[in-house]
Structures are given as C-alpha cells and as structure tokens.
Amino acid sequence: MNLLEVEGLRAGYTEEVDILNGVSVQVGEGEIVAIIGPNGAGKSTLLKAIFGLLRPREGKVTFSGEDITGAAPEVIVRKGMSYVPQVQNVFTSLTVQENLEMGAFVREDDFSDRLEALYRMFPDLERKKGERVGRLSGGQRQMVALARALMLDPKLLLLDEPSAGLSPAMVSVVFEKIREIKGAGVAILIVEQNAKEALRLSDRAYVLAMGRNVLSGPGEELLENEEVGRLYLGGG
Amino acid sequence: MLELFVYGIVLGSIIALGAIGLTLVYGILRFANFAHGDLMTAGAYVALFFVASLFPSLGVPDARLAPFSFGWRMVAAFPLAMAAVAGVAILLDKTLYRKLRQKGSSAVMLAMSALGASFIVRMVVLILWGADYRSFYPGVLRPAMELPLGVKIRPDQVLILGVAAFLVVLLHLFLHRTKMGKAMRATADNPELARVSGIRTERVITCCWATGGALAAAAGVLYGIDVQIHPGMGWNFLLPLFAAAILGGIGNVYGALIGGLVIGVLQQLSTAFLLPTYKPAVAFVGMILILLIRPQGIFGPRE
C-alpha cells in the first residue's frame, strides 16, 4: 500500500474554474516523487489540495490508509505529513529557534532531542538560533523552512519549489539537504520549476499540464524522454 | 512643564495598555476594534461594582492603603475586573466576530460590527450605573507629594506607572516565554503557516481577546484611580488609542507602548498652550507629523 494515494483530484480557487482536472499521484514509503510541468499546470495547487488548504471538489486523498480528503491542515499535520509553502514559509519576526518550536507546536512532550538532531543536520541554524529569521539570507530561510517542517519527524514532506528565488550555489545546497532528508527515511513529494535537478533527485516523477497527468515514470527515464526534454527541460 | 511631562507619562502608560490590546487584536485578526475603548469603561465599572457594591454587602474589610487613595477592596477588584472583561471580550468574539469571520466578512464589516458592540457595552454601563461621574472612593483626600525639581505627583500616579510597567513586563514574558504567547506571535506573523504548523488558530484568537480585554480593563481601572469614571470615558479614549497604535506601527506591541507614551506626553504638554478640549486633536497632529517622517510607524515593518 502506498503512503499517499491521490485519486482523480479536482479543485480550484473559485466556484467555476478548476485548476486541477482529475490528478492522480502516488507516493510510497520513503520514496521521493517529483511533480514537474509548465507554469499554471496546477503543481502548487495540488500540494495545497492534498494538505487541506484548498477543499477538493472531487477525488480522494488517502494517507497511511486513512481518508483525509478535505481535512483541515491542523488535523493533517498531526497525522505525520508536513508542508513547506513556496513563499512566506518562515515566521520572519520570530527567532530561528522559535520557528522550530512552532514546527513542534502539536507536541506536548519534550522535543529537545529532535531540536538537537535538526541542529546537527543544519549546523548554520544552530549558530543563528537566537536571531530573527527576517535577518537571514534567502538560503538560510529555506533551511529554517525545511527544519520547521521536519520538527514533527513526518512520514511525508510536501515541498513547493524549494529552490525558487535562490542563487545557483544555494540551489545545490538545498537539493543536497533534500537528499539527506530522504536518506533519513522521509518520503518527499516535491514540486519544482527546476525540472532537471528535480528529476535527477527523484525516484519517480509526474508531468502535469492543464491540471492533468500527462506522463509519469522513473526520474531518470523522464530525463531521457524526448518530449519532456523539448517541452520542460529547455532544449532538444 | 516638567510636571506636565510626568503627568503625560502617567496618562501615556494608561493609553499604552489600551493601545497594546488594540494592536494585538489587529495583528492577529486584521481589523480595527472600535469597541476597545468601551472595554476600558467596562473594566472600570466592574471594579466599581466590586468596590462599591458587592464587597461592602459581603462585608469584605477595606483598610485604606496609605498613602494611596484606595484600600484592599480595590486590590482584590483589580484582577477580578481584568478577568471579567477578558470574559466579555471572548463572549463578543464567540457571539459576533467569529460568526462574521466564518462567513468571510470584510475588515470593514468587522469594524462596523465592533462599532455596534461598543454602543451595546456603553449602553449596558449606562443602564446599570447611570450617566454620572463616579469615584471608586468618593471623598477621600488625595494629597500630592513633592519630587525633586518641584514636581508634584500623587502616590496613586506613581503606583499607576508601576502597575502599567508590571503588566507590560508580564505581557512580554507571556509573548516570549510561553508556548501560547509564541503561537500568538507566529499567528500574527503568518496565519497560514501557523495553521500549517498545526496551531489551532481559533484558540489563539480566544487568547488574544482575553489578553486585550484584560489589559483594557486594567487601563480603565487605572484611569478611574487617577481621575474619575463615567460611561463615555472609554469612547473618549478610542482616538488616542488608535493614534498610539498607528504611531507605533500597528500590530507591534512595543510600538503601541512607545506610541502610547508619546501621545500621553503630547496631550499633557499641549495643555500648557491650548484648552484641554483640544487634546484628541493634539494626539492626531502628533501622529500625522511622525507618520510624515516614518510612514510605517515607529516600529512598523520596513517593506
């Protein structure tokens, strides 16, 4: 059984217009799955609909065998799924440490060991833990966003364009961290503009266009696929 | 002049307590709570009810705490008034604002409903206690003591400053040391990310109203100790409260604190040149002048 099963999801922001026209996606335990596609294909919308920020009109979302279609984000996060939005994914007026504490908000017990583990993974953040996140660089903020989402030790992490707006050097650092997170056994569903990197990183990938699945397959295979190359990887 | 400055700080500390509540509610709910001033009034009258009606009928002893103008009954009534108004604020939220929020009403609609709520609170006070000016301890002499440089100040006013400072420190510790306080700051900073992190926003909102209501009640009672209370007092405070909150950068607690002090001092200093009737105008001229230099307010975000 897959960790996440999305079947025929239909959703949109206004009454009449559907951004998603029946998308189906699966993510297995510990698997990293990429979603690529042109602007406006509905990639980010899909993550929002999975995480309960947008109510699906049709279709079904199953997580760990439990139907979570239309559940609120504050409920879904308690089931072991975390989400990192593309923008505004940190609390800028809070310190680094407070951001991580908010990531563990639903935990009532002592989470200092988890905090330490994440500081080992992101040593930069430990040095800056008392600093307000608004004062950090874009790359460091992205690390805070990832660490916040990992505080609950989720089974599945939803990442919306983690490389957007970062310098090329920082992009490779972020992808390196994502590999590391996967190495720790966390399944990842990642949406990316940076399709080449995303495909190299992932076990499997889906190509989305006009709110529909167009293609799917192992990441390396799609990287070789001529049509994908022509349409989404910029070059023939 | 120095004396007026000191009185300004006293008045400013009262304005600051009200403005902090206003700015907290704005920070989390993004609407202008026009009923905030009347929560101050409600606090003052709840304290009056305890001090002048309930405690005497229960036979609660009331030795006067020299050199202050009040006794033990006021010490007991103060936190009770804060708790009661926190309750009123939560009740208003659950019966009114929450319903509108769930219907997706605009900020203007919420502000207008708050205006309505302010009338209701004020009229209830009028019906229960009448329109007269009242004192917590009528007829008590309130001698002033003399500080260096010839500044005359009443012991009550020194205490008002102390209590206001204590409450601000308490609020600071709450916002920075407790889980709920941090969740309130996080929700004000980024409500969607707060939900995504599992923070139950409705609980944060309830807590925000409780804090704002309690601080407003404290401000109302302190003003009553300093001067007198009447049903229109909070309404008259509304403009200075907004001026203080906006001046400090709306949504910023420390901005509201500084804004309150600035407005208080400006208002009192102006009485050396102008009739006291112009005090609200002075508050706004001061606000406009500072906003011309720093449009985002003293502590507002730079973006």
Side-chain angles (χ1 to χ4, degrees), chain A residues 92-118:
Chain A
T92 48
S93 65
L94 272 59
T95 65
V96 170
Q97 172 119 356
E98 284 170 343
N99 266 270
L100 302 197
E101 286 172 20
M102 287 302 108
F105 184 82
V106 307
R107 278 183 70 166
E108 299 294 341
D109 54 339
D110 177 34
F111 51 78
S112 49
D113 50 336
R114 185 69 193 153
L115 204 57
E116 264 171 47
L118 282 170

Side-chain angles (χ1 to χ4, degrees), chain A residues 88 93 98 101 105 148, chain B residues 179 182 185 189-190 197-198:
Chain A
Q88 296 179 353
S93 65
E98 284 170 343
E101 286 172 20
F105 184 82
R148 181 202 60 78
Chain B
K179 192 173 173 180
K182 288 176 192 176
R185 285 165 54 221
D189 183 307
N190 189 336
S197 302

Side-chain angles (χ1 to χ4, degrees), chain A residues 139 143 163 165-177 194 197:
Chain A
M143 296 300 163
S163 77
L166 297 180
S167 67
M170 215 48 232
V171 169
S172 50
V173 174
V174 166
F175 278 114
E176 200 42 57
K177 284 294 168 201
N194 198 338
E197 274 290 342

Side-chain angles (χ1 to χ4, degrees), chain A residues 143-165:
Chain A
M143 296 300 163
V144 173
L146 286 174
R148 181 202 60 78
L150 288 171
M151 277 303 286
L152 289 177
D153 206 355
K155 282 183 275 187
L156 174 66
L157 187 60
L158 308 181
L159 296 178
D160 193 354
E161 307 244 4
S163 77

